[in-house]
Amino acid sequence: MSRMDAVDRAILDVLRDDSRTSIRDVATRVGISRANAYARVKRMVDTKVIRKFTVDVDHAAIGLGLSAYVHVRTKQNSWKSFRKKVWELEEAAHVALVTGDFDCVILVRARDADHLRELVLERIQALPEVVATQTVLVFEEHVGPS
């Protein structure tokens, strides 16, 4: 996408708040015509500014109330194979290649401390690419302004 203006950013704010907002409501809230809102959203989808529409899940309500960031140091040149294996873990919610003392950060969701222990000690650390891990528990989680 060449350039986003204030209207595009306002549309994104509306959709980030509720991705199910109708085009009619987006247009009303942003102060543009429905046709203009539709064209702008379509352009942002087509150019991958908007990658997907999603829902905000209460993880505790579905039995995954314990979240943690697992920092992982991997063997050199093993990121691609490691990433593929991590995405096979149903508990992995986000995987990022990072700089610093560790190579990767994984946001995981677990039922409880026993599940988290099993995930980190028996499954993640067992991957041949893994050199070391550090686990950081999440006490509170917030997505966007609330």
Side-chain angles (χ1 to χ4, degrees), residues 46-119:
D46 290 347
T47 59
K48 307 288 189 238
V49 169
I50 297 174
R51 295 184 299 203
K52 65 181 177 177
F53 295 88
T54 188
V55 297
D56 183 14
V57 175
D58 179 349
H59 299 287
I62 62 170
L64 297 172
L66 181 62
S67 296
Y69 288 100
V70 181
H71 300 217
V72 182
R73 189 172 303 118
T74 60
K75 292 179 182 172
Q76 193 167 2
N77 298 318
S78 67
W79 163 245
K80 287 182 182 178
S81 64
F82 175 75
R83 178 184 61 199
K84 182 178 179 187
K85 291 173 185 175
V86 168
W87 275 125
E88 292 172 0
L89 300 171
E90 64 184 74
E91 298 89 349
H94 181 102
V95 180
L97 180 64
V98 297
T99 63
D101 291 337
F102 290 90
D103 303 305
C104 176
V105 176
I106 310 165
L107 173 60
V108 297
R109 310 231 187 253
R111 291 183 303 276
D112 52 33
D114 287 337
H115 182 201
L116 179 62
R117 181 200 54 75
E118 182 268 334
L119 174 63

